[in-house]
Amino acid sequence: MNLTWLDGLIISLYLFFNIGIGFFYRRQASRSIEQFFISGRSSPWWLAGTSMAATTFASDTPLAITGMVATGGIAGNWLWWSFVFSGMLTVFVYSRLWRRANVVTDVEFAEIRYSGRPAAFLRGFRALYLAIPINCIIMGWVSLAMVKVLMLILDIDKMTAILAVLCLTAITCTISGLAGLQGVLIADLAQFALMGSLSVALANFAVVGAGGLNALIKSVIEIRGEAVLGFFPDFDSPWMPMSTFFVYMAVNWWATWYPGAEPGGGGFIAQRMFSARNERHSLLATLWFNIVHYALRPWPWILVSLVSLVAYPDLSDPESGYVLVMIDYLPVSARGLMIAGFAAAFMSTISTLLNWGASYLSSDVYQRFINPAASERDLVTTSRIATILLAGIAAIVTFYMESIGGAWKLLLATGAGTGGVLILRWFWWRINAWSEVSAMATAFVVSIVLQLQMKYDTDNPDDFAIVMLWTVSVTTLVWVTVTLLTGPEPYSKLMQFYKRVHPYPLFWGPIATAAGDKYFRSSPMPDIAYWLTGCGLIYGALFGIGKLLFGELATSAAWFALCAVCSWSIHSGLRNMKFSDR
């Protein structure tokens, strides 16, 4: 596809706008490590929450969802829809706990909760593990999506597309390296608005081009069958067996570490919570993110995916269907905005991942183990060097990666089983540093053995379910056994943590008793009720919108009624909820 001078102007203006943000916030970001990585803990909820949503909306997201719909129908989205349960748990339980922890990175938690060399080892190991292999795999699949987009739009080969993506990454490094998190937050706001608008516009043009919704639905049924439109899989579904759906709903959301939906919060979601003004803003930010991410954003992508099934039924790479719809259905005048929009989605995610990964290398590795006396200026400089290093590693990963959806499932499988300990470490006093270490090591080894040695393919839904169940079962057995065979953390450390964070006293036994009523936190039951109500809000809105689009008005009204009741309940509860100023 040939670009005009107007397309080039639009793209150039957008890129210069982002570079300008980097230089504008440079001085503010250089003041301290807290300013660089958590924006001085001053972000309003709407900015922090929108930034979470922008980060999870990368150039890979609509492509991966197109692939899911092509292989599993609309119900294929339960791979990530199931994480609503984890997201709502973060909103109503962990957002306040993380704020009370008062840390700069989530791996710093290790030396607040645990003590001695095991805690130091866990902090350093987890920082390196998340910052380099895991973070670079995520950046690799995000970059791969952008490579696929450019190859299709500009009709160029993979190496040329990689070089173009490297140029975008270099600009993103400028934003993240110069402006720190504050610049990333502002850029995310603009990037989310641009790509969100483009997604809605593309869905509209695609559906109109397919002859309208009724014609589209009829064509999908004729080509792929009615089951592809189901929001839940059939019992005999060839795309998503009930065993796989069971794993998604009963295991996936709590047992698996996954970026943006970590059990117990964590990662860049935790980073945004740390950047919020106080507990209340932290909770509202995560609530807003979950509403946008799960309830409001999916349907434009799904509609485009359905159009791609009709327009290109025999694609060897179904993920590319989204880009082909863009090329064929968007008007010529929108080509520049189309590329700028995908660049926005790419840059919003990469800038966050670079800043997030650099926070681990600078704060949890360099400052903690190499130069504890480092000045604020030294730490900011180290962070900028780490940003460049991570971008280079991610480029290498991109070159060797083939499938976006496959990388998603690989990360899910290798992180399976760790979620239980990440959730319970706040609430069970017996958990120690070796519990986490054993969980991480076991999950990685078991999943790799199952996939590489026993040849289970996580792209196959049955095999994915088997890998998940075995990995979670063995990992949970190992870490619980290790916990019971090793001693608890010292009494003084546990007491210090309890007084700092105020977890529910239910499983803190002697620590809660000794701390007394001053540090007592009420029963977890109200927060569990809010959690379930929040899930009702999300699913009510998600399925209400979907049924409305498909013309099922009565069913849509029922789902929206559930959403309304849950929304009113949460709104009433938030007015009476107590928050600290932290």
Side-chain angles (χ1 to χ4, degrees):
M1 183 177 76
N2 295 322
L3 299 180
T4 67
W5 67 269
L6 182 59
D7 297 324
L9 177 63
I10 291 172
I11 297 167
S12 298
L13 288 175
Y14 173 75
L15 296 178
F16 279 118
F17 167 76
N18 281 276
I19 294 173
I21 289 175
F23 282 99
F24 183 82
Y25 287 101
R26 179 185 179 186
R27 180 175 295 180
Q28 179 177 329
S30 300
R31 292 174 185 169
S32 68
I33 201 72
E34 278 204 0
Q35 191 67 54
F36 192 88
F37 288 129
I38 54 175
S39 192
R41 303 187 193 274
S42 62
S43 302
W45 65 267
W46 54 268
L47 182 59
T50 302
S51 179
M52 294 178 195
T55 298
T56 52
F57 185 178
S59 49
D60 68 297
T61 314
L63 274 68
I65 287 172
T66 302
M68 290 176 195
V69 173
T71 57
I74 292 176
N77 286 281
W78 280 106
L79 175 67
W80 65 288
W81 283 351
S82 61
F83 283 108
V84 167
F85 293 100
S86 178
M88 285 295 109
L89 202 61
T90 298
V91 172
F92 293 109
V93 176
Y94 294 101
S95 62
R96 287 172 287 168
L97 294 174
W98 275 117
R99 285 294 305 189
R100 293 170 194 162
N102 196 34
V103 292
V104 174
T105 71
D106 59 318
V107 299
E108 185 183 339
F109 174 90
E111 292 196 293
I112 293 173
R113 175 63 173 83
Y114 314 121
S115 63
R117 291 183 178 179
F121 170 79
L122 176 61
R123 181 178 179 179
F125 173 77
R126 193 166 176 81
L128 290 171
Y129 176 71
L130 294 178
I132 299 177
I134 296 300
N135 194 28
C136 289
I137 287 173
I138 300 169
M139 286 192 286
W141 85 48
V142 172
S143 299
L144 175 62
M146 196 63 195
V147 167
K148 288 186 175 185
V149 169
L150 294 179
M151 288 173 65
L152 289 168
I153 293 177
L154 303 179
D155 193 23
I156 55 179
D157 59 63
K158 185 174 182 179
M159 182 55 68
T160 304
I162 287 176
L163 292 175
V165 169
L166 281 176
C167 292
L168 278 178
T169 303
I171 295 173
T172 310
C173 277
T174 301
I175 303 169
S176 184
L178 291 178
L181 186 62
Q182 183 62 35
V184 172
L185 293 175
I186 299 300
D188 278 352
L189 185 64
Q191 291 159 352
F192 179 77
L194 176 60
M195 193 54 181
S197 301
L198 179 61
S199 295
V200 174
L202 175 60
N204 179 66
F205 283 117
V207 170
V208 171
L213 269 175
N214 291 334
L216 173 61
I217 292 170
K218 183 179 179 181
S219 298
V220 169
I221 293 174
E222 289 176 354
I223 294 173
R224 295 295 296 271
E226 193 171 356
V228 75
L229 298 175
F231 295 0
F232 298 88
D234 295 334
F235 281 96
D236 57 348
S237 170
W239 304 315
M240 186 189 295
M242 289 308 295
S243 59
T244 305
F245 183 66
F246 170 80
V247 168
Y248 288 166
M249 298 303 294
V251 179
N252 224 25
W253 67 267
W254 65 265
T256 301
W257 185 96
Y258 186 77
E262 298 86 349
F268 56 79
I269 299 298
Q271 186 187 36
R272 298 306 190 272
M273 290 190 285
F274 304 155
S275 75
R277 290 174 179 173
N278 51 40
E279 275 187 26
R280 185 175 185 276
H281 280 263
S282 177
L283 184 149
L284 291 175
T286 49
L287 178 59
W288 171 238
F289 157 62
N290 279 276
I291 291 171
V292 172
H293 181 56
Y294 293 107
L296 302 182
R297 200 163 51 182
W299 286 108
W301 300 333
I302 292 172
L303 290 176
V304 174
S305 302
L306 295 176
V307 172
S308 75
L309 290 181
V310 174
Y312 323 105
D314 300 317
L315 279 179
S316 58
D317 179 11
E319 292 175 352
S320 65
Y322 191 90
V323 183
L324 293 175
V325 171
M326 293 178 68
I327 294 172
D328 293 340
Y329 287 82
L330 271 181
V332 174
S333 58
R335 289 181 303 192
L337 282 174
M338 174 177 67
I339 297 176
F342 258 95
F346 171 79
M347 293 170 69
S348 66
T349 301
I350 294 295
S351 61
T352 285
L353 295 173
L354 289 173
N355 185 271
W356 171 53
S359 71
Y360 291 151
L361 297 180
S362 176
S363 180
D364 299 298
V365 177
Y366 179 75
Q367 183 181 29
R368 174 61 181 85
F369 297 102
I370 299 174
N371 186 8
S375 66
E376 294 289 346
R377 177 171 293 184
D378 287 340
L379 292 174
V380 172
T381 300
T382 303
S383 303
R384 287 170 173 157
I385 294 172
T387 299
I388 297 171
L389 173 66
L390 292 172
I393 297 173
I396 297 172
V397 172
T398 303
F399 184 78
Y400 290 101
M401 190 174 287
E402 294 296 330
S403 169
I404 301 166
W408 277 29
K409 292 175 182 176
L410 174 65
L411 199 60
L412 280 171
T414 54
T418 59
V421 70
L422 296 179
I423 288 175
L424 293 176
R425 62 186 180 173
W426 298 86
F427 303 119
W428 187 23
W429 70 282
R430 277 292 282 115
I431 288 178
N432 57 42
W434 295 118
S435 307
E436 285 201 45
V437 172
S438 62
M440 291 178 64
T442 305
F444 181 81
V445 170
V446 172
S447 63
I448 293 300
V449 168
L450 288 170
Q451 293 175 77
L452 298 184
Q453 294 296 119
M454 301 183 70
K455 305 302 181 182
Y456 284 103
D457 180 7
T458 54
D459 279 335
N460 179 294
D462 287 310
D463 285 3
F464 177 79
I466 292 170
V467 169
M468 288 292 295
L469 288 173
W470 272 108
T471 305
V472 169
S473 299
V474 174
T475 301
T476 303
L477 178 63
V478 168
W479 80 254
V480 171
T481 302
V482 168
T483 299
L484 297 176
L485 292 178
T486 54
E489 297 298 328
Y491 177 86
S492 59
K493 188 70 176 181
L494 293 172
M495 181 63 73
Q496 183 184 49
F497 176 80
Y498 186 86
K499 290 182 176 180
R500 180 172 183 165
V501 175
H502 302 184
Y504 306 114
L506 186 60
F507 297 109
W508 276 84
I511 308 301
T513 302
D517 293 341
K518 180 179 179 182
Y519 299 98
F520 181 79
R521 193 177 177 202
S522 61
S523 165
M525 296 311 296
D527 288 341
I528 292 175
Y530 285 129
W531 165 56
L532 295 174
T533 304
C535 294
L537 184 159
I538 298 295
Y539 287 129
L542 173 65
F543 298 134
I545 294 170
K547 292 298 182 181
L548 180 64
L549 289 172
F550 291 151
E552 300 178 30
L553 300 184
T555 309
S556 173
W559 282 112
F560 279 132
L562 172 65
C563 176
V565 170
C566 293
S567 299
W568 175 83
S569 178
I570 290 172
H571 176 71
S572 301
L574 287 177
R575 289 187 298 179
N576 300 319
M577 193 175 291
K578 294 181 180 180
F579 298 97
S580 75
D581 293 331
R582 283 189 287 178

